[in-house]
Amino acid sequence: MDTLFLERLSLRSVIGVHAWERAFAQHLELDLALSVDTHAAAASDALDDAVDYAALSEQLVRLAAEADCQLIETLAARLADAVLINPAIRQVEVVLRKPGALPAARSVGVTLVRSQAEVP
């Protein structure tokens, strides 16, 4: 299995448990590691045989913008579920960061791994 990755995709979302956090969309950063078989795409050099990471990133940006979650875990799980709609993606590792959430830390966040076996 091969890995296709996206690093530091910039998202904006209403997220947090405190009223002051929920007053505006906050900046988040998303990393994805997608387990895919790239043999067909490498052989054909055709986007139809590959995961369209531009379309996927647009979808995730839109999903985050429309979300209204209290917990970063909830949003990360929703993003993972959206990725796994594509059956060509066998597994996804999601790293979702919330920069500036704690004054003494660069960011806080969550890493989760989901696979096609967990798709409802």
Side-chain angles (χ1 to χ4, degrees), residues 27-90:
H27 172 71
L28 304 170
E29 295 175 343
L30 176 66
D31 294 346
L32 296 176
L34 312 173
S35 295
V36 296
D37 182 346
T38 63
H39 286 93
S44 70
D45 199 29
L47 183 57
D48 287 344
D49 293 326
V51 172
D52 184 345
Y53 54 80
L56 178 60
S57 65
E58 289 173 11
Q59 175 192 4
L60 297 175
V61 167
R62 195 169 40 253
L63 190 155
E66 294 169 358
D68 186 356
C69 302
Q70 291 189 45
L71 301 178
I72 196 166
E73 295 89 341
T74 304
L75 182 55
R78 289 181 187 179
L79 295 169
D81 289 346
V83 169
L84 291 173
I85 288 172
N86 182 340
I89 301 170
R90 297 290 175 213

